[in-house]
Amino acid sequence: MKHSVTLWILVLAMSASGQSLLDAPWRAYDVADFPDFAPLAAAYGDVDGDSDLDAVVAREFWFSPGIAVLLNRGDGSFDAERLFNLSTSMSVGDIALADFDRDGDLDAVTSIAGNAGTDSRIALWRSNGDGTFAPAQLFAAGPGPTGLVVADFNGDGFPDVVTADNGYVAGSNATISLMRHNGMTGAQAGFLAPGATTVGDNSMRVDAADIDGDGDQDLVVGHASPAGGPDGINVLANDGTGRFSIVQSFTSVPGADRSSYAVDFADINADGRPGGERTSGGLTDLFFSDDSYLNIEARRSTEIAAASVEIVVEGTAPTDSPSTIAFVLEAGQTGEPTRQRIELFNFQSNQWEMIDERPSPFADTTVRVTVSTNAARFVQPGTRLLRARIGYHDRGVTFISWGGRLDVTAWEVGG
């Protein structure tokens, strides 16, 4: 008898009036057949470089754990799964995507809880850039790592990993562990030894965002506590170096099931947090190439097509009818992989027009884009206003602490 496990995906379509509709409400895709099954968590990102969201699924079944990759066909449907396995009993607890080796594509990292929390490792699956992954490389983690989140917790520009630990041995289920990136690239990229912080018992899930507005990534930890227990959720503040301390705890919901431990950040009250924001600098920092930066940061993206963080700058042209317009940008970014996009506002069509898009440079890089055909469309008649928009766009990566570092923006207008 064939035993298969499916991944259920809800596809939302948008009508012309802007109302959400259910288009083929549920679509099911095989993740794997027995014994390569038991999907536990999934991450979504562009793992084959074709600019759409693929699914990478963590599989926990002890006999044949690992990940399953389902590549998006570009129309919201998925190809058959591709399996990448771990050894027996290395049960996976959670999964995230980020470019850990800085080769421009998304790698996968999974926690390895093992059978009943008996393991203490994470697995790094390096992407080949085509939707396949090299065999997993293992690194030490806390005891029984279950939940997992990726962000730059110490401000060095590299993605680190934090796990919620739920170890089998008594006393080993009440920590979170930080595995700092070793700061290397390519095949040498990896993680340092774990550093633990004590939290409530039965740590199961963890998420990150800048809760206190100081520019670094803080944590919230969800626990499998009894209904009304003292440690349903812990909130931990980051001191900017990756050292955490509990600043607030919440009891679990009275009457809630013991398994109610999922945590996530979202801007529910529309106050702009967590989201994208200016973290330092101002417009005057864009006037001269002096390494004085305007820094903007993304906290969590909403969709692959939308800019996670962007800035609009304006100028004045010396004429209504220029022969050429060149826009100059000197900038870098603080997390990979993202794409840097430059748009100019077309005053004739009354909409933004993309004039350049490329992989975001990590080091300060100058980009000069020249428009010589109908350049006047980018000049507002009468006011001679020029308007440009610089956006840093996510590829679906779950590494949520990154942004743009802008040094110079300028126009060069030819009469």
Side-chain angles (χ1 to χ4, degrees):
M1 178 182 295
K2 178 180 178 180
H3 298 276
S4 63
V5 177
T6 56
L7 173 69
W8 292 87
I9 297 177
L10 174 64
V11 179
L12 293 177
M14 190 68 70
S15 70
S17 63
Q19 294 179 324
S20 294
L21 300 175
L22 293 179
D23 177 19
W26 292 100
R27 298 178 184 177
Y29 298 91
D30 279 344
V31 172
D33 299 324
F34 180 85
D36 303 301
F37 74 150
L40 181 67
Y44 302 91
D46 179 15
V47 298
D48 57 359
D50 62 357
S51 298
D52 49 36
L53 289 175
D54 309 302
V56 185
V57 182
R59 297 179 290 107
E60 69 164 339
F61 185 55
W62 68 272
F63 187 79
S64 185
I67 61 175
V69 179
L70 289 80
L71 298 180
N72 193 330
R73 296 173 181 145
D75 59 0
S77 63
F78 293 85
D79 288 337
E81 72 277 9
R82 304 180 186 184
L83 302 182
F84 303 89
N85 290 340
L86 293 167
S87 298
T88 300
S89 297
M90 295 174 63
S91 298
V92 173
D94 204 354
I95 186 169
L97 302 176
D99 184 8
F100 293 102
D101 52 13
R102 287 210 169 140
D103 62 353
D105 47 41
L106 292 176
D107 310 303
V109 63
T110 61
S111 56
I112 302 177
N115 291 341
T118 55
D119 210 319
S120 56
R121 291 174 289 181
I122 57 174
L124 174 61
W125 311 74
R126 300 179 191 274
S127 173
N128 297 319
D130 58 359
T132 64
F133 290 84
Q137 184 178 1
L138 304 178
F139 296 89
T146 305
L148 173 151
V149 66
V150 173
D152 178 11
F153 292 105
N154 59 354
D156 64 354
F158 289 89
D160 310 305
V161 176
V162 166
T163 58
D165 304 328
N166 191 32
Y168 174 78
V169 179
S172 67
N173 66 344
T175 60
I176 53 107
S177 295
L178 169 64
M179 280 62 68
R180 291 179 172 86
H181 196 285
N182 64 9
M184 304 183 75
T185 61
Q188 302 303 313
F191 303 99
L192 303 179
T197 300
T198 300
V199 291
D201 291 342
N202 302 309
S203 305
M204 295 295 290
R205 286 291 181 264
V206 61
D207 200 10
D210 182 9
I211 301 171
D212 51 15
D214 62 355
D216 53 44
Q217 296 296 301
D218 309 303
L219 296 173
V220 61
V221 182
H223 303 272
S225 298
D231 287 305
I233 294 176
N234 296 140
V235 179
L236 293 89
N238 184 355
D239 70 356
T241 68
R243 288 191 289 266
F244 298 95
S245 58
I246 295 178
V247 294
Q248 194 168 5
S249 295
F250 299 90
T251 59
S252 59
V253 178
D257 187 89
R258 179 180 173 83
S259 298
S260 302
Y261 47 74
V263 290
D264 196 5
F265 282 108
D267 185 11
I268 296 174
N269 63 350
D271 64 354
R273 300 176 51 81
E277 63 179 35
R278 177 179 63 87
T279 58
S280 64
L283 291 178
T284 56
D285 295 298
L286 303 179
F287 294 160
F288 304 100
S289 182
D290 57 2
D291 295 329
S292 179
Y293 299 103
L294 167 61
N295 291 289
I296 49 179
E297 183 175 286
R299 304 299 168 83
R300 183 178 294 277
S301 65
T302 54
E303 56 183 302
I304 198 168
S308 294
V309 62
E310 60 187 13
I311 183 174
V312 175
V313 294
E314 296 181 342
T316 303
T319 174
D320 286 321
S321 303
S323 58
T324 62
I325 291 178
F327 183 76
V328 181
L329 170 67
E330 182 182 343
Q333 50 82 48
T334 61
E336 298 181 87
T338 61
R339 294 189 66 81
Q340 176 180 282
R341 180 179 298 174
I342 300 173
E343 299 168 283
L344 297 183
F345 193 79
N346 185 332
F347 288 96
Q348 295 177 1
S349 63
N350 202 36
Q351 59 187 351
W352 291 101
E353 185 175 323
M354 186 177 70
I355 61 171
D356 185 76
E357 182 176 327
R358 64 186 65 204
S360 303
F362 187 76
D364 281 5
T365 302
T366 298
V367 176
R368 176 180 281 99
V369 185
T370 302
V371 177
S372 56
T373 302
N374 189 22
R377 68 187 187 274
F378 297 121
V379 180
Q380 187 177 50
T383 66
R384 298 178 181 174
L385 177 68
L386 299 164
R387 182 176 293 152
R389 183 165 69 183
I390 304 130
Y392 292 89
H393 292 246
D394 210 323
R395 292 176 56 197
V397 64
T398 54
F399 173 42
I400 63 176
S401 174
W402 58 264
R405 185 180 60 247
L406 288 75
D407 193 9
V408 173
T409 61
W411 277 272
E412 297 174 354
V413 181

